[in-house]
């Protein structure tokens, strides 16, 4: 079974530029998560989708971050404009149907904002 | 607000030692607690999941315990090997009574483990 796929794996941009990350969850998984992991910290949930609807985006900085999952499968996370403090690893995870189901994580996208 | 703390932040031990990693959380109203392993440049791999009604879970050389009333969990690694070198994260899943299928994981900051030959 293929795991959660993410691209790109690495990205370097200058502040105030825009960047987008892509995630393809495990086939059949209804729930998709985006986490931000700053160096030395644990992952922090940014947004959770159930199919193509948002379940929780309480920690998403909506003035600069946006995410979508239009067809209920793959998802994109965008930052516009990026700030220095956005440098982090962005992890995507999916689970069969949320709730108590195990979350499976992708390898992450490492973002460096200069 | 739920806070999860892990100690020590880093640990370096010789091969063969038995290890204990600690995790504490401030709010005992959790659904379950999960231990993850994170290798450099890779995502998280789930190791053990303990439901709030359980006291411990075992998988191979790993044993995780949960004391919900005191807000603590430990991950015990027996006979450590160099291949165990990684960052270990614990995460608690909050009880979301009013929201369907919201299952926010709150992570600790991790323990970076190095096992040398």
């Amino acid at each position: 079974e293929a795991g959660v796929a993410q691209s790109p794996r690495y990205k370097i941009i200058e502040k105030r530029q825009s960047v987008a990350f892509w995630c393809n969850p495990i086939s059949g998984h209804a729930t998709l998560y985006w986490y931000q992991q700053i160096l030395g910290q644990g992952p922090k949930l940014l947004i959770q989708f159930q199919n193509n609807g948002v379940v929780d985006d309480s920690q998403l900085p909506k003035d600069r971050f946006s995410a979508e999952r239009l067809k209920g499968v793959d998802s994109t996370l965008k930052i516009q404009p990026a700030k220095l403090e956005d440098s982090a690893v962005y992890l995507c995870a999916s689970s069969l149907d949320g709730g108590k189901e195990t979350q499976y994580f992708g390898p992450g996208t490492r973002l460096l904002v200069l | 607000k739920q806070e999860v703390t892990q100690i020590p932040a880093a640990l370096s031990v010789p091969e063969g030692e038995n290890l204990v990693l600690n995790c504490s959380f401030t709010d005992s109203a959790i659904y379950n607690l999960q231990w993850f392993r994170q290798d450099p440049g890779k995502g998280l791999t789930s190791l053990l999941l303990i439901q709030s009604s359980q006291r411990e879970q075992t998988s191979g050389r790993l044993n995780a315990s949960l004391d919900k009333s005191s807000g603590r969990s430990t991950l015990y690694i027996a006979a450590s090997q160099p291949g165990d070198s990684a960052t270990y994260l614990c995460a608690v899943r909050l009880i979301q009574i009013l929201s369907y299928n919201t299952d926010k994981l709150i992570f600790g900051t991790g323990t970076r483990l190095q096992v040398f030959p």
Side-chain angles (χ1 to χ4, degrees), chain A residues 12-73:
Chain A
I12 301 174
I13 62 173
E14 294 186 350
K15 60 183 179 182
R16 290 187 288 276
Q17 285 187 323
S18 301
V19 65
F21 312 128
W22 175 82
C23 171
N24 189 23
I26 293 174
S27 177
H29 280 195
T31 311
L32 186 147
Y33 314 79
W34 282 102
Y35 289 86
Q36 179 193 58
Q37 186 176 22
I38 294 172
L39 187 64
Q41 299 182 17
K44 180 185 78 173
L45 180 69
L46 292 176
I47 189 168
Q48 176 184 347
F49 290 94
Q50 180 71 15
N51 296 309
N52 61 350
V54 176
V55 174
D56 186 346
D57 64 355
S58 57
Q59 297 191 96
L60 186 74
K62 299 180 184 63
D63 58 334
R64 297 183 300 106
F65 285 65
S66 64
E68 60 183 14
R69 194 185 184 200
L70 293 178
K71 296 182 180 179
V73 181

Side-chain angles (χ1 to χ4, degrees), chain A residues 9-10 31 33 35 37 40-43 45 48 50 55-56 58-59 91 95 97-103 105-107 110, chain B residues 31-32 34 36 38 40-46 49 51 89 93 96 99-110 112:
Chain A
R9 294 295 309 277
Y10 306 92
T31 311
Y33 314 79
Y35 289 86
Q37 186 176 22
Q41 299 182 17
L45 180 69
Q48 176 184 347
Q50 180 71 15
V55 174
D56 186 346
S58 57
Q59 297 191 96
L91 296 164
S95 69
D97 195 24
K100 62 180 180 180
E101 298 286 339
T102 297
Q103 296 181 25
F105 285 79
R110 187 176 299 273
Chain B
Y31 191 83
N32 57 40
Q34 201 162 0
F36 292 87
Q38 186 172 31
K42 297 185 179 180
L44 279 66
T45 302
S46 179
L49 186 150
Q51 301 296 345
L89 294 157
R93 177 165 285 148
Q96 304 275 9
S99 301
Y100 173 73
N101 269 350
T102 57
D103 55 340
K104 182 178 295 185
L105 285 177
I106 306 296
F107 283 85
T109 53
R112 186 180 306 168

